Amino acid sequence: MHKLEEKIRRAGEQGRSALIPFLTAGFPSRDAFWKALAELDAHGADIIEIGVPFSDPVADGPVVEAASRRVLAEGVTLKEILAGLAARKGQFSAGLVLMGYYNPFLQYGLEKLARDAAEAGVHGFIVPDLPHEEDSPLKTALARHELALIPLVGPNTGRERMALYGPGAMGYVYVVSVMGVTGERKELAATVAETMRRARSVFDLPLALGFGLSRPEQLEDLPEDARPDAVVFGSALLKHLDAGGSAAEFMARWR
Amino acid sequence: MKNAYFGEFGGCFVPELLMPPLMEVDEAMRSIMPTKAFREELDDLLRNYAGRPTPLTFCPTLSRELGFDLWLKREDLLHTGAHKINNALGQGLLAKYMGKTRLIAETGAGQHGVATAAAAARLGLECVIYMGAEDVERQSSNVRRMRLLGAQVHPVESGSRTLKDAINETLRVWIATQQSTHYCFGTAAGPHPFPTLVREFQSVIGRETRAALLEKTGRLPQAVVACVGGGSNAIGMFHAFLKDESVRIIGVEAAGSGEPGCLNSASLNLGSPGVLHGNRTLLLQDREGQIEASQSISAGLDYPGVGPEHAWLKSCGRVRYDMVTDARALNAFQRLCRSEGILPALESSHALAWVLDHPQEFSPEGAVVVNLSGRGDKDMDIIQRALALQEV
């Protein structure tokens, strides 16, 4: 079983949804980022998604985009992120996933990316602008190092298209809760249960629900058979950290 | 989706949530566009609403000075002032056949926004235009035109507040509104099928040019020349001539101020391969793969990427791509005004400038055709400021 899947299954055995915070690398500042990463890890994160900044993030809402722009202005690079993780290898018990757009990965070199990421203790990637039709070069490069390319599916992904992402998928499947971009919403869309059930029927992997989650109570609205194995939260955490809050405090709400 | 690539360029690099609407457009392109009903209705709109066919104008004064025959394809005479209306009417009509009730579009200088707003009004569709906040300030008269035509104009505050950010925002909005809404993409770039779709609607330019020149002179031109930003007017002109081996094809990019290391919009000449806005193409980017700011005196060429078919035509050598600076474009603008009584857009002035500055490239035999993709009325403020600076 892939390490990322194992992390989520273990939470399930403990009778809870796995927690997957998202944090843009270098946010709110370089030092604060590494501190927050360690705190998230120590306070219940099962997997941590680390955002790799890009100048043109088409799947992101205003909070994640602003964070991305800010760290780019500070000069944060993919190379630096990988070096920082490599220097701290073995310090995190959570699974580590890099989430970012294709072009910075492509320019880094896909083979080199896979090798360096594996060496830095990364377990997988999420690339929101890489649909099935374009994902084979990266997927192949990652697979050589047992790194997962996490599929993203959403409310308008039918059974047939979901099935395209099945072969070779590892770790977990990211289910996008809304027809929109990242960012908090007050309520979960009515279609979430349907999307979750459809994904459940197609994939054998655990399902993580993301985009739009701001508080744990939102999940209680979902019927039991449509509840996710893991929840992803990003914008709410970024706002909390930017306002001077600590990662430990934030995690306490979700545990 | 088949044929999403031009050689190694093109493709469909978008979030999965945009795949269903793109596949729907791809399907409509194959099933609706070839039908007689669609073609007749579009043809009627192009003739009787937009003003096609556009004239092919001989330039007597410049031809005498240059030593060869210079002709202009007059897309500047179209309704709303540029070639953009060809695509806006095509996609607007296609959207209507697809059962959509709204158009959304990005715009940089505002020409595509105005064309889309006009097409939407004519076709009875709602229309929302996304425009970088900086462009909203720079191009206020086009903003007023769009609003008068019934469109909502949303300033985009994110990123560099220009065209590339307007495209990002429109893609985001499309994720949420795809059920009712078609994204009327403005240039021959973006994810598949847009590069092909936009080319299909713009290639009327080259078809008309080829037929008209054969009729007037009995032979093909020695060269066709067009400016390239995203590349829709250029691919529209070039497409009909790609198989005519005797015809030289030249695309002209904006070099910006021309000083070494200056900001520019010449991704074919100065860029490197990468992925932006859904396609693999040549981009202005740094080593980390972050997209760099572009710059040109001509807002319509100000884009850090280019349509993937142009990247391919460059790589296989069929089209030659060169650059022209702001100052030379301005010079060509003035020369055309005075010698032929035509006020060209600053975009088209780049194509003209290349011809005026390279007369030795052409033989006295055979016509040279420049695609005059738009009229310059929209550029009055920019031109006045630039000329005032030159006099200082």
Side-chain angles (χ1 to χ4, degrees), chain A residues 53-58 60 65 69 72 77 102-104 107 128-129 131 133-134 152 156 161 165 178-181, chain B residues 5 11-17 19-20 23 158-159 164 168 172 175-176 178 273-276 285 288-291:
Chain A
F54 182 48
S55 51
D56 294 82
V58 292
D60 281 306
E65 178 176 20
R69 286 202 75 76
L72 280 178
T77 64
Y102 195 39
N103 198 48
Q107 302 307 324
D129 59 345
E133 280 76 356
E134 308 290 355
L152 280 155
N156 67 340
R161 278 201 67 80
Y165 289 95
V178 287
M179 294 298 288
V181 293
Chain B
Y5 274 84
C12 195
F13 297 83
V14 295
E16 170 58 38
L17 271 62
M19 289 303 291
M23 290 165 76
S158 64
K164 83 178 175 71
N168 294 338
R172 289 179 189 128
I175 294 176
Q178 55 187 261
V275 170
L276 175 69
Q285 60 182 332
E288 302 289 330
Q290 307 298 341
I291 307 308

Side-chain angles (χ1 to χ4, degrees), chain B residues 72-76 81-83 225-229 233 252 298-301 324 328-330 332-333 336 342-356 370-376 378-379:
Chain B
L72 302 175
K73 179 59 173 167
R74 301 294 305 283
E75 296 297 293
D76 61 314
H83 70 291
V225 186
C227 63
V228 181
N233 92 83
V252 183
S298 145
L301 300 181
V324 154
R328 295 316 296 163
L330 204 57
F333 169 87
L336 190 69
I342 296 170
L343 216 143
L346 279 173
E347 291 79 2
S348 324
S349 300
H350 282 72
L352 184 68
W354 196 87
V355 174
L356 298 183
V370 169
N371 192 23
L372 208 73
S373 54
R375 71 180 79 130
K378 68 183 175 62
D379 296 322

Side-chain angles (χ1 to χ4, degrees), chain B residues 60-76:
Chain B
T61 309
L62 286 175
S63 296
R64 204 164 47 241
E65 291 170 10
L66 292 165
F68 53 82
D69 286 354
L70 177 67
W71 299 75
L72 302 175
K73 179 59 173 167
R74 301 294 305 283
E75 296 297 293
D76 61 314

Side-chain angles (χ1 to χ4, degrees), chain A residues 132-206:
Chain A
H132 164 72
E133 280 76 356
E134 308 290 355
D135 72 5
S136 76
L138 179 60
K139 207 168 170 178
T140 310
L142 295 180
R144 274 185 213 124
H145 297 270
E146 285 169 49
L147 297 173
L149 180 60
I150 307 299
L152 280 155
V153 299
N156 67 340
T157 315
R159 205 174 290 274
E160 279 179 28
R161 278 201 67 80
M162 280 189 185
L164 295 174
Y165 289 95
M170 293 186 279
Y172 58 100
V173 173
Y174 195 130
V175 178
V176 175
S177 68
V178 287
M179 294 298 288
V181 293
T182 57
E184 300 168 80
R185 274 92 175 163
K186 285 205 179 78
E187 284 168 22
L188 280 182
T191 51
V192 170
E194 210 181 298
T195 312
M196 286 297 301
R197 287 190 185 115
R198 192 164 63 245
R200 188 72 80 197
S201 74
V202 173
F203 296 103
D204 295 329
L205 293 170

Side-chain angles (χ1 to χ4, degrees), chain B residues 137-376:
Chain B
E137 288 155 25
R138 286 196 290 200
Q139 310 282 339
S140 59
S141 77
N142 270 342
V143 174
R144 286 196 293 275
R145 291 167 79 200
M146 287 181 256
R147 288 187 171 140
L148 287 168
L149 289 162
Q152 284 181 46
V153 181
H154 277 261
V156 176
E157 298 285 353
S158 64
S160 57
R161 305 163 84 233
T162 59
L163 175 60
K164 83 178 175 71
D165 309 285
I167 294 176
N168 294 338
E169 190 62 19
T170 318
L171 287 168
R172 289 179 189 128
V173 169
W174 201 28
I175 294 176
T177 59
Q178 55 187 261
Q179 207 75 25
S180 65
T181 302
H182 174 72
Y183 181 176
C184 183
F185 203 86
T187 191
H192 179 79
F194 287 121
T196 303
L197 182 69
V198 175
R199 180 196 73 204
E200 288 304 297
F201 288 131
Q202 292 295 1
S203 55
V204 63
I205 300 172
R207 279 200 307 276
E208 280 180 12
T209 302
R210 197 172 181 282
L213 200 70
L214 282 173
E215 191 192 302
K216 287 172 198 283
T217 70
R219 49 192 290 197
L220 290 170
Q222 59 172 313
V224 293
V225 186
C227 63
V228 181
S232 71
N233 92 83
I235 203 69
M237 173 57 91
F238 297 169
H239 196 63
F241 293 101
L242 289 178
K243 286 184 182 153
D244 298 318
E245 284 175 18
S246 66
V247 179
R248 292 171 59 201
I249 306 181
I250 297 144
V252 183
E253 295 194 294
S257 70
E259 287 153 28
C262 73
L263 290 177
N264 60 78
S265 302
S267 44
L268 289 162
N269 280 282
L270 303 172
S272 57
V275 170
L276 175 69
H277 294 148
N279 68 108
R280 186 173 193 278
T281 186
L282 292 167
L283 299 174
L284 301 177
Q285 60 182 332
D286 67 15
R287 266 190 218 161
E288 302 289 330
Q290 307 298 341
I291 307 308
E292 292 186 323
S294 55
Q295 181 69 56
S296 167
I297 191 172
S298 145
L301 300 181
D302 197 341
Y303 181 58
V306 66
E309 194 166 4
H310 287 293
W312 174 68
L313 288 168
K314 176 185 154 77
S315 74
C316 66
R318 177 62 186 99
V319 178
R320 171 174 173 189
Y321 293 94
D322 203 349
M323 297 182 282
V324 154
T325 62
D326 292 346
R328 295 316 296 163
L330 204 57
N331 171 270
F333 169 87
Q334 289 175 289
R335 205 164 151 197
L336 190 69
C337 286
R338 288 177 193 171
S339 42
E340 305 293 342
I342 296 170
L343 216 143
L346 279 173
E347 291 79 2
S348 324
S349 300
H350 282 72
L352 184 68
W354 196 87
V355 174
L356 298 183
D357 289 349
H358 297 80
Q360 73 285 358
E361 290 271 352
F362 303 103
S363 95
E365 302 295 314
V368 173
V369 182
V370 169
N371 192 23
L372 208 73
S373 54
R375 71 180 79 130

